[in-house]
Amino acid sequence: MLPMGRIDVMMADDLERAFREKVAKKFGMRKGSMSLAIEEAIREWMKSEEEAKGPEEAKAKPPLEHMEEVAPPSVDFAREIVRASGENINKCIQCGNCVASCPSGRITAYNSRRIIRKASMGYKEEVLKSIDLWLCTTCYTCVERCPRKIDVVNAILTMRNMAVENGWMLEPHKVVSTNLIKTGHAVPIDQATRERRKDLGLGELPPTVHQYDGALFDVQQILKETGFCGLIERAQPQKAASA
Amino acid sequence: MGREYALFLGCLIPNRYPGIEAAARKVLPKIGIGLADMKGASCCPAPGVVKSFSRPAWLAMAARNICIAEEMGLDVLTFCNGCYGTLAEANHSLRGDRALRDLANSNLKEIGKAFKGSVGVRHLAEVLLKEVTPQGIERAVTKPLGLKVAVHYGCHLIKPRVLREWVGSTERPTFLDELTEALGAESVDWEDKMACCGAGGGVRSAVLDVSLRMLNRKLLSAKEAGADFILNVCPFCHLQFDRGQVELQRLYNLQPYDMPVLHYVQALGLAMGYGPHELGVDMNFVRPDRILNKLS
Amino acid sequence: MVDSHGDLKIGVYVCHCGKNIADVVNVKEVADFSSKLPGVEVAREYLHMCDDVGQEMISNDIRELGLNRVVVAACSPKVHELTFRETLRKAGLNPYLLEIANIREQCSWVHRSDPDGATEKAKGLVKMAVAKARWLMPLETKTVEVTRSALVIGGGIAGIQAALDLADNGYQVYLVEKSPSLGGRMGQWSKVFPTMDCAACILTPKMVSVSQHPKIELLTNSELIEASGSLGNFAVKVRRRPRYVDEDRCTACGICAQKCPVRVPNEIDFGMSSRKAIYMTSPNAVPLAYSIDGENCLYLKRGICRVCERVCEAKAIDFDQKEEVLELRVGSIIVAIGYDPFDPTPLEEYGFGRYKDVITGPMLERMTDPMGPTGGMVLRPSTGKPPRKVAFIQCVGSRDARFNLYCSRVCCMYAIKDSLIIKEQSQGSDVSIFYMDVRAFGKGYEEFYLRSQEAGVKFIRGKVSSIREDPKTHELILRYEDTLMGTALEDSFDLVVLSVGQVPRADTEAISKILGIPRSVDGFLMEAHPKLRPNDAIVDGIYLAGSAQYPKDIPDAVAQASGAAARASIPLSKGQVEVEPLSPLIDEDRCGGCGICIKLCPYGALELEVRGDKEVAKVDEVLCKGCGTCVAACPSGAARLRMFTGEQILSMIRAGAG
Amino acid sequence: MMEGRGEAWFEPRILGFLCNWCSYAAADLAGMSRMEYPPNIRCVRVMCSGRVEPSFVLEALKEGYDGVLIAGCHPPSDCHYQSGNLKARRRYYLLRKLLKELGINPDRVRLEWASASEGQRFAEIVKDFTERLRRLGPNPLRVDRVGAK
């Protein structure tokens, strides 16, 4: 069918002249050359507008995957996960039950099935560096429903351990961990709560490590002993981008 | 009558929602649950974060906490799902796996402790269900609530199924509804009842917007079901429901849900005639006025 | 004693079994070691002892070297013991002078990562076998006359086929069926894949053939309660529950059912319809006669009513019928007890039982039957109207480690068939099949799959994670991931069909206990060998047919039934079977007549008999099954189990220790 | 006097009595399924666990085996001969008492059930028994064999 759209435009004379010359050079002095070129110009413009749009709209589009950027698979990666977690992820039949059960996957592009797949195929960096690894809320719904009885959460936690070991950790997590090392509580007391405790007739500090310095020392001892302190120190905090 | 437990507080109850602690200390002894403080206990440690970073550290810290209860000769009682998840699993692994136990004990040796495996770990919901029983709670209630309640179980209370035989069904559990109805309240059916609140697994701390979007669905669904408040048995879910409403409003410019949030011990306190202030109910971000007005 | 050490000539034959043994065990070393054992005349190793060359090697040595004992170190005696006994017999040596050392199943296959350990163990096993061989005695098998009749348990398509084949071969067959009619599961289905012919049209003629066959005695309302004996001569007891209707008089006019006041859920329709307490399972029932269900009949339960008796013009109602126990003697037994559909209630995430419009495949099957609860129309149970959008969920209870790990093999095809039926009934309907893998393995099956794709049935690769019902519209909302698109989705349907698989029938365990035939891990009856003896149960003389062994579709069930019938007819046509000399010998001089053995024997095969001035134990060789419990308990050592004597076992113990 | 814990690493030698119908079939199935277990066991096939005389076990211990496994069909009713397994069980308990009196650790003798479909279970039993015997140390009736391997 012949295109029927029509736009009449007024424009600066010099632009018109330069444009006509360019068109003649490229398409020849035939009928329809101008339309062809103008249409192309409009399309280009539309595309650039599209790309310049806000992040909200851009997010709706699936991310482009550039396979050439993916590091080559490592045969040891899956084996290491199986060893460390005791969870044989190679049993996965890729049914997608976990994804459909996932509260996180319901609102983001997070896809546990794909993580398991990539892991068992050995794409170590892609898995361990991905923000996706940190979108699991450990709700265990997928674990209860998996037809292969794979403890997906256990596998993911193992991969998270491996990520942190490689120094890949999200910034807010480093903060929580530092709190823990300093105070023995992942969420230590704050001034407002001290006041509320008094108001409620509770002691200003709870009878936890907050009250007992010796106990706090013990906890710190354990965190040192198990290598936790060093681990957190070494970790390069990654900015927690939104998913 | 009654039985004493080693009270494990964790972080959020004493350090953010002391009302839950106050309510528990007032209410539980009245229904036969004695509480003894676990002096010097620490973070459980949190299953979503610490266990995600280093399993050995997670296990050793949990072992230390359990050791405190072992020294007291009492079973651990917690009313935080996260603490329950951590301590129950750690206790089970340490009891069953010699290599893990040896590893944890080698870490504990420095501080003069050793895991023996002599105590159990119980969640308050289990104790209420099995020892106090819904009938027992009904007897203790003096002011039946008469409200519509959206009951939220929370994931780590019921899943994974292993180690939690007492739970029964993980898809459609009923025990917390029974315990809630024993307060003279009506447990409403809500579409997203069994969904995760969105806080766990370190998601809330790292990717707040994702966490809040999960929460939003739950709040919407509770509102649609006509619930007067959301009831939980976990301070982390509690925090997510309570503070999350304010954050949602701020981040996404949403109309306030104005959905009050109560931990079971607080709701139990109200039903037993305690005042909202002594239970810390008014210390939430979301004002409880809506339910208090209905109650009076 | 037979151990005539002086002139013992033992031949030891170590098998490579291709690479199965030789890859792990150093067979040469084992053979060298064997050749130095006392009494060993020759020791050889060879690629496949069981092939012609290998057997020839053994017979030659027997003839030329005068061997009088043979030890074969190879696979399990369960595989080739009979083969090598035959080799011995043909070479003129008593077949019981053979001992097998199991160096494959119990050595090379289980110690692959420890070749040295495996080689040491193989040497030990051979040494033990040689030690036992020294004490072997020549034994004679006894031949026993066979009862030339067979028992077939189960009147479904497999049982029907097996019974007809045996009867056509000329043998008397007793066909035992628990329900009042033949037909089984196939009798419940409407159309069958991939041909889409009506099940009744092809099944009914076979049912009628059974009832008219002069060689088949059909026992409906009956079940097996006891069995004893062995290959060639089984004695079984069958309990026949009363039908309370005289089969010969009943004209199947149906007036009784019209008048019967008791309505109960109809199990044939999985409770989707009701039936009366006097009923026929189908208008095609065989025998074509009504039957009274004693559990629900008012007269039988409470002594009132008898309406059926009053209205029956043929005077066929007979409340005086009593339960009877029939004792039958048969030469072989075929077990064709079939399967049950998986009950999806435990998959709470699918809400079966809670949501009316979530049904199972077999329930849908009943709907498509013109004689079924909806007259052949697929309807939403909640509204009684045709569905517009239907989802099939595959692998419900199958390929799911939480329930049954195995694939049920029929669900893909029946879902495809039903999807086509729905498409035919309502052109505009939207049908989706949620699958993990489509398994269309049979003849014409892939073509059938293609047909449904062409008809517009949507195949979505993803396991549905949960179903919830919209409280207002009662639509069912499915959550799933389309794994081929990688997207988590929600969609609503007005009918959801759970493609449930096959599970062992509820009474499988009971039958397995009565017959002494084991079950596999999946609960189905176990075959003697998964590849080479798929029709045989582990006990000789008992054969398996149909889904009692493993999920099967109709062609496979029929093929296996014919196979089982062929297997079962072997002893019947031979007319005689050899009985292994398993029973104990009693040394009458030693026997003190204490009678301990008599109390222990589970078969009552021992009794005291007067011999001169004392009593001694005597064995009834027909009743004895050779367990040896009496031998183990005999305080005077008078009882000796011919193939497992104390000397034999003790010599093995000592040989293995050194 | 009861024996003490073995110090030196050693490979225990185990004698197994397997009934033809269940446990021998289980052992064969373990092979067909290519499961692995340590090669420390040598098995003797008998028709029924009820055939095993206590004197066989005593003889085995005297001959220097470090442990004896008797395996039959699951009680109560899996036995191919109806109740041979129950008789084996009765004898086993008496035998344990006797061993205790003789100063031999009764844990050197083990009674287990494995059905024809439980290849995995059979492999686990052998693994576990080997491990336990390794911890228990060599049979004191034949200590001279310690470290022979």
Side-chain angles (χ1 to χ4, degrees), chain C residues 76-78 102 105-106 109-113 121 513 521 600 603 627 629 632 644 653-654 656-658, chain D residues 13 20 24 27-28 31 34-37 39 41-42 45 50-51 53 59 63 65 77 80-82 87 117:
Chain C
S76 170
K78 302 207 169 188
N102 183 345
E105 280 83 349
Q106 297 190 14
W109 276 354
V110 285
H111 310 311
R112 278 173 303 155
S113 52
K121 176 168 171 177
K513 293 243 155 87
V521 184
L600 287 175
Y603 304 102
C627 64
T629 299
F644 299 90
I653 295 172
R654 290 180 194 124
Chain D
R13 189 164 285 202
N20 183 59
Y24 195 87
D28 274 358
R34 307 297 197 276
M35 289 154 184
E36 288 225 24
Y37 54 83
I41 191 165
R42 313 265 187 277
R45 179 168 71 115
R51 169 70 186 97
E53 297 175 28
E59 179 69 15
E63 284 291 321
Y65 289 95
S77 53
H80 186 75
Y81 304 104
Q82 298 179 8
K87 284 153 194 156
S117 60

Side-chain angles (χ1 to χ4, degrees), chain C residues 418-438:
Chain C
D418 288 331
S419 71
L420 280 169
I421 293 176
I422 293 172
K423 281 275 184 191
E424 273 170 22
Q425 287 192 359
S426 151
Q427 292 294 332
S429 56
D430 180 342
V431 184
S432 301
I433 296 181
F434 292 90
Y435 70 98
M436 297 197 291
D437 299 286
V438 173

Side-chain angles (χ1 to χ4, degrees), chain B residues 174-195:
Chain B
T174 54
F175 62 90
L176 193 52
D177 304 88
E178 286 161 35
L179 290 170
T180 303
E181 304 229 316
L183 304 176
E186 180 201 343
S187 167
V188 298
D189 203 10
W190 52 312
E191 188 189 314
D192 275 331
K193 180 175 177 176
M194 295 317 298

Side-chain angles (χ1 to χ4, degrees), chain C residues 165-214:
Chain C
D165 282 4
L166 281 168
D168 285 347
N169 260 322
Y171 305 112
Q172 174 64 38
V173 177
Y174 302 97
L175 177 53
V176 172
E177 164 59 40
K178 215 161 115 179
S179 79
S181 169
L182 288 174
R185 291 291 172 201
M186 186 178 173
Q188 283 177 283
W189 312 147
S190 162
K191 290 183 176 180
V192 288
F193 60 79
T195 47
M196 292 282 244
D197 29 18
C198 108
C201 310
I202 54 176
L203 177 64
T204 314
K206 278 191 174 276
M207 288 159 57
V208 173
S209 305
V210 167
S211 70
Q212 292 176 346
H213 205 295

Side-chain angles (χ1 to χ4, degrees), chain A residues 59-80:
Chain A
K59 244 183 277 164
K61 285 192 283 181
L64 292 172
E65 298 207 347
H66 299 289
M67 286 308 289
E68 65 271 21
E69 285 174 18
V70 174
S74 122
V75 279
D76 296 332
F77 184 46
R79 208 178 303 142
E80 182 54 24

